[in-house]
Amino acid sequence: MSKPSKNQSPYRSPAGGWGALKSSAKHLILSSDAAKGVKALLKANQPGGFDCPGCAWGDSAGAGKVDFCENGVKAIAWEATSKRVEQNFFNQYSISELQQWNDHSLESSGRLTEPMLYDGSSDHYQPISWQQAFELIANNLQRLDSPDQALLYTSGRASNEAAYLYQLFGRVFGTNNFPDCSNMCHEASGVGMTSGIGTGKGTVTMEDFDLADAIFVFGQNPGTNHPRMLATLRKASKRGAQVVAINNLKEQGLQKFADPQSPKEMILFSSTNISQHYFTPRLGGDMAILRGMAKSLLEKAEHDDSVLDHQFIAEHCHGFNEYRNAINTSSWDKIVQQSGLSFDEIEQMTNIYINSDKVIFTWAMGITQHRHSVATVRELLNVLLLRGNIGKSGAGACPVRGHSNVQGNRTVGIDEQPSAELLAALKTRYSFTPPHNPGLNTVDSIHAMLAGNAKVFIGLGGNFAAATPDTERTYQALQQCDLTVQISTKLNRSHLITGKCALILPCLGRTEIDNQSSGPQSITVEDTMSMVHSSIGQNQPASQQLKSEVAVIAGIASATLGEQVVDWQKLTSDYGLIRNEISAVLPDFKDYNSRIQADRGFYLQNPAAQRQWNTKQQKAVFSAAMLPQQLAHEMVKAQYSKSILTLQTLRSHDQYNTSIYGMNDRYRGVYGERRVLFANSDDMAKQGLQDGDTVEITTEANDGIERRVSNFKVVSYQIPSGCVAGYYPETNPLVPLESVADDCGTPTYKSIPITLAKIG
Ligand SMILES: Nc1nc2c(c(=O)[nH]1)N[C@H]1C(S)=C(S)[C@@H](COP(=O)(O)OP(=O)(O)OC[C@H]3O[C@@H](n4cnc5c(=O)[nH]c(N)nc54)[C@H](O)[C@@H]3O)O[C@H]1N2
Ligand SMILES: Nc1nc2c(c(=O)[nH]1)N[C@H]1C(S)=C(S)[C@@H](COP(=O)(O)OP(=O)(O)OC[C@H]3O[C@@H](n4cnc5c(=O)[nH]c(N)nc54)[C@H](O)[C@@H]3O)O[C@H]1N2
Ligand SMILES: [Mo]
C-alpha cells in the first residue's frame, strides 16, 4: 500500500479485541445514557431479554451470559439515547434547513417523541394527535382510485407480529404492494434458492458451523456487519476447519480477530487467524470462480471417482447433463478473465473444496447486488450440490441476512409476490378475497410514484429516501405522492423528502417496554438460522406518547377498514392473539405461543436441509446459466476508450445502513471522513491521481441522465485493478434506477460503471 493520506492509515490490530471494546464504551457514553445501555446489553440475545436490533446472525447456545458485539452495542446505544427530537426542535428548524444536514446529524438529534404533520405553508412539522393522524391516512387511502395506488414499505426490523398485521391490513385493503428492504438486499438469494432447492432460506444451523471442515465466505464483511459471526468462524478456525474468504477487498475482520468475549485473547493481546486463505476477485467475478471450480471438479472426476457425489446427484438432482454442457462451454480464458483470479488460485480453492468432507458456503451483499446475482446464487448451489453438500450435517448454504428480522418478515407474509397458499389461508381464516395480482417491489414502486400510479407511501421503519437508488429521481417520486407516512424511531432523510402531505409516526424500539391493556408484551423474530425466539423490551419508552408498531398499524387499519374483517384493537391488546392468528394461517407456526417459551425459541423446519426439494421437479435443480457476456470491467476494454472503473457501494464500520453512528471506518483505517473512494494504486497512477486528491464521480449509463457526486477523496487501497469502493448512502445518487439484477430487481449496488475527474 502506498503512503496513507491524512484521513487514512492502515489498521494493524486484529478485528474485535481492545479496539472494539474501546469503541463500544465510547458509543455507550456518547449515547448519553450509559447505565441504561449497560443494563440493556446484559439482556441482549439472552432468554427473557430482547433480540439485538443489530444483525440477523444466530444466537449461540454456548455464548454464556453475554452475547453481543461492538456493533450491537452501537445499535442498542443509538436507540437508548437520552436525546429527543421534540416539538421545539421542529419549531426551531424548517425542513429546508434540515435538508442541509448530513445523515449523521439528523439521526443523532435523538428519538422522535410525538406524531407530527408537515405543514407546507410554514415548512415546519407540527404536532398532530394520533387519532387525527390515523384519520388523515384513512381518508387518503379511501380516496385512491385503486388500492394498488398505495405502497406499504417494510424495513426488516419489524417484529413478526407487526409484520403479520401489516400484510393483513394491506391485503384486506386490497393490495400486494409490499416493497421491502429485502428487495434491495437478499432477494437474489431467495429467488435463486427457491428455484434451485425449493426453499428460499439458508439450510444450516449454528451447530453445522461446529462440524464443517471448510467454510467459504463470499462477498461479506462480517467484522463490521455480523461481528458475532467472527466468533463462530474463530471457533471453527481454532479446531482446524478451513476458512476461505473471497472478497474484493482485504477486510481486516476476515483476517485476524480477537474475541472481546475471550478473556485469554484480550489479556494476551493475541488473536486468531480467521481465514487461512484469502482471494480477491474482480467485482462480480464470483460466478466465474464457481464455474471454474465446477470445471476443475469435472476434470478431476474423470480420474477420481470420489470427486463428485454420484449417488447424491443421481438420487436428488435434476439437470446435471445440461449443467455439464454449460461447464464445458465455459472456457478457462473466460473464467480467468471474468473472475479476476488466476487459474492457480481457482485450483487452490477447488482443492480445499475437494479435501473437505463437509462444506458451508456463506454469502451476503457482494453476491446479491450485481446484475447476475440470481445466476451467481444458483452457481453457489450448483457447486455445493456436486459434492452433496446440502442436507448433510456440517454442510450447506447460508445467505447471511441483514436486518435482524428481515427473514421473519418474509416468512409471515411481507412479500409482493405472495404464494397461492398464503392467500388461500388468509381467505379461509378471514373470509375476504385477497388480491391475487403481484404487487410492486422497491424499484418498481419508485417507477410507479414517478409515473403518478402510486400516491400514498407508508414506511414501516427504514429510510426509503436514502437507501434506494438514483437519489434525485427517488426524491422526486416521493415528493409527487399525495401522502408519505414514516413510522420511525429516529429522524432521518425520509422525513424531509415529503409528499404533498407528510406524517411522522414515532414508535417504540425493540429495547423498550411495550405495555398494552393485557400487560407488557413480547414480540418474536427469526434469525438467519431460522430460529424463532421472543424478545422483551427492558428500557422505559423514550416518550409517553410513543405507540408500538403493532398499535400504529392497528390504528391505521381501524380507521381505514373498521373492525368487520379483523378486530385490530383486540389483537393489539395481547400479541399472543396475533401469534394465534399466525398459527392458524401458517402451518409451520403450530403451537406458536407455547413453542416460544423455550429458552432459545424454536426452529422452523427447512425442507432442503432434510433433502426434500419443493421444486417443480421435486429434485434439487442444477442451473445451466452461462456466464454473463460482459461484466463492467470487461466492457471497459471492449467498448470504451475512457478509463471506466467499477464501483461497489458498501458499509463503513460506524454505520448501520443509513444510520451513520460516526465518521470512522476503523478496520479500513479511515478516520473522520466518509466521502472517500478506495482505489487501486495502478489505476490512480494511470489517471494522474494521488492519495488524498479530490474527485468527482460520474456514472456511465448512456441514458441521458446525469448522475454525479463530488468532493470524494481518493485513497489507495488493496483492491483489484479496475475496481473502486465508496460508502453508501453517499454514493446512491450514482446508481441508476434501471440498473437492477435479472430476475429479482435488486439494484446493482456493487457494480456501477463510473469515471473519475480530478477537482482542483
Ligand atoms: N454494523 C452493521 N451491521 C450490519 C449492517 C450495517 O450497515 N452495519 N447492515 C445489515 C444489513 S441490512 C446487511 S444486508 C448486512 C450487509 O453485510 P455485508 O454484505 O457484509 O455488507 P457490505 O458492506 O455491503 O459488504 C459487502 C462485502 O462484499 C465485498 N464485495 C463487494 N462486491 C463483491 C464481489 O463482487 N465479490 C466478492 N467476493 N466480494 C464483494 C465487499 O468488499 C464487502 O466486504 O449487514 C447487516 N449488518
Ligand atoms: N448503495 C447502496 N444502497 C443500499 C445498500 C448497499 O449496499 N449500497 N444496501 C441495501 C440494503 S442491504 C438494505 S437492507 C437497505 C436498508 O434500507 P432500510 O431498512 O430502509 O434503511 P435503514 O437505514 O436500516 O433504516 C434506518 C431507519 O429505521 C428507523 N428505525 C430503526 N429502528 C426502528 C424500529 O425498531 N422500528 C421502526 N419503525 N423504525 C426503526 C430509524 O428511523 C432509522 O432512521 O439499504 C439498501 N441500500
Ligand atoms: Mo440488507
Side-chain angles (χ1 to χ4, degrees), residues 55 71 185 218-222 224-226 246-249 251 281-286 364-366 369-370 401-403 648-651 655-657 668 750:
C55 74
N71 279 342
C185 184
F218 285 91
Q220 200 195 337
N221 181 23
T224 287
N225 298 316
H226 304 92
I246 304 94
N247 198 307
N248 194 235
L249 299 175
E251 302 286 20
R282 290 243 167 80
L283 286 168
D286 304 80
M365 298 304 101
Q369 296 177 334
H370 293 285
R401 304 284 164 181
H403 267 302
Q648 66 147 317
T649 62
L650 77 181
R651 294 149 173 84
Q655 76 183 81
Y656 194 95
N657 299 338
R668 299 198 186 101
K750 298 288 190 270

Side-chain angles (χ1 to χ4, degrees), residues 7-27 69-71 74 221 223-224 227 230 251-253 257-258 260 651-655 662-673 678 717 727:
N7 299 95
Q8 198 263 347
S9 57
Y11 187 74
R12 297 191 200 285
S13 314
W18 290 106
L21 269 196
K22 215 165 80 186
S23 165
S24 307
K26 199 172 96 193
H27 277 273
C69 67
E70 176 192 358
N71 279 342
K74 292 182 195 166
N221 181 23
T224 287
L230 285 193
E251 302 286 20
Q252 183 70 18
F257 173 59
R651 294 149 173 84
S652 80
H653 194 63
D654 271 0
Q655 76 183 81
M663 305 307 272
N664 299 339
D665 192 5
R666 195 172 79 243
Y667 297 154
R668 299 198 186 101
V670 171
Y671 296 94
E673 181 74 84
F678 300 102
Y717 204 76
Y727 300 129

Side-chain angles (χ1 to χ4, degrees), residues 542-575:
S543 142
Q544 286 308 312
Q545 292 198 64
L546 299 183
K547 282 190 188 291
S548 73
E549 290 178 334
V550 166
V552 174
I553 297 159
I556 297 173
S558 290
T560 311
L561 304 167
E563 320 283 324
Q564 287 89 328
V565 180
V566 178
D567 191 340
W568 310 100
Q569 296 309 326
K570 186 167 159 216
L571 292 180
T572 306
S573 68
D574 175 358
Y575 298 176

Side-chain angles (χ1 to χ4, degrees), residues 166-454:
Y166 196 52
Q167 65 81 36
L168 185 58
F169 160 64
R171 295 195 164 112
V172 176
F173 178 64
T175 185
N176 284 314
N177 283 345
F178 293 104
D180 68 350
C181 72
S182 199
N183 297 147
M184 298 182 272
C185 184
H186 263 295
E187 197 66 69
S189 307
V191 170
M193 294 180 78
T194 303
S195 54
I197 59 173
T199 174
K201 298 180 190 179
T203 66
V204 299
T205 61
M206 292 296 275
E207 287 69 38
D208 289 314
F209 282 87
D210 293 334
L211 300 171
D213 299 310
I215 302 163
F216 286 67
V217 182
F218 285 91
Q220 200 195 337
N221 181 23
T224 287
N225 298 316
H226 304 92
R228 288 180 304 127
M229 179 178 173
L230 285 193
T232 306
L233 293 178
R234 164 182 173 273
K235 204 162 126 204
S237 181
K238 280 204 146 179
R239 65 171 171 79
Q242 305 286 307
V243 178
V244 185
I246 304 94
N247 198 307
N248 194 235
L249 299 175
K250 277 282 176 86
E251 302 286 20
Q252 183 70 18
L254 281 165
Q255 299 178 68
K256 272 184 190 308
F257 173 59
D259 190 346
Q261 296 181 21
S262 157
K264 195 167 136 217
E265 283 191 352
M266 296 298 284
I267 289 161
L268 298 178
F269 283 94
S270 66
S271 61
T272 307
N273 280 323
I274 294 282
S275 13
Q276 298 89 342
H277 315 274
Y278 208 116
F279 300 94
T280 50
R282 290 243 167 80
L283 286 168
D286 304 80
M287 181 178 177
I289 300 176
L290 290 155
R291 186 54 59 90
M293 288 173 72
K295 197 172 177 71
S296 175
L297 287 173
L298 288 197
E299 286 166 8
K300 291 180 172 52
E302 286 180 19
H303 326 282
D304 180 350
D305 232 21
S306 70
V307 169
L308 303 182
D309 188 338
H310 295 287
Q311 202 192 336
F312 174 82
I313 294 173
E315 195 181 329
H316 288 285
C317 300
H318 174 87
F320 178 67
N321 289 336
E322 292 84 342
Y323 181 45
R324 187 168 45 201
N325 291 340
I327 294 171
N328 289 337
T329 34
S330 308
S331 74
W332 275 116
D333 279 353
K334 178 76 184 171
I335 288 169
V336 166
Q337 179 205 327
Q338 190 159 91
S339 68
L341 295 188
S342 67
F343 175 80
D344 286 346
E345 287 176 304
I346 296 175
E347 270 302 281
Q348 229 181 310
M349 286 178 66
T350 311
N351 287 330
I352 300 166
Y353 185 60
I354 294 182
N355 291 325
S356 310
D357 236 10
K358 293 166 261 167
V359 179
I360 295 174
F361 285 176
T362 80
W363 69 89
M365 298 304 101
I367 293 293
T368 62
Q369 296 177 334
H370 293 285
R371 189 173 293 278
H372 58 301
S373 286
V374 174
T376 306
V377 169
R378 292 295 299 268
E379 198 68 15
L380 285 160
L381 300 176
N382 283 345
V383 174
L384 286 171
L385 291 173
L386 286 175
R387 286 180 51 79
N389 272 314
I390 295 188
K392 78 179 174 198
S393 63
C398 180
V400 183
R401 304 284 164 181
H403 267 302
S404 50
N405 196 36
V406 60
Q407 186 160 314
N409 285 186
R410 211 22 98 75
T411 306
V412 301
I414 300 296
D415 194 342
E416 78 279 7
Q417 299 188 49
S419 68
E421 292 84 59
L422 173 69
L423 297 180
L426 291 173
K427 182 173 179 181
T428 307
R429 179 79 185 165
Y430 304 104
S431 309
F432 77 106
T433 305
H436 278 263
N437 50 325
L440 299 170
N441 67 15
T442 294
V443 166
D444 290 339
S445 295
I446 299 170
H447 286 300
M449 288 185 270
L450 282 171
N453 296 330

Side-chain angles (χ1 to χ4, degrees), residues 248 282-284 370 631-636 643-648 677-678 683 719-725 750-755:
N248 194 235
R282 290 243 167 80
L283 286 168
H370 293 285
L631 297 188
H633 73 82
E634 296 169 291
M635 173 176 95
V636 179
S643 297
I644 295 190
L645 301 167
T646 311
L647 169 73
Q648 66 147 317
L677 188 73
F678 300 102
D683 291 337
I719 182 169
S721 156
C723 303
V724 289
K750 298 288 190 270
S751 49
I752 306 298
I754 54 114
T755 54

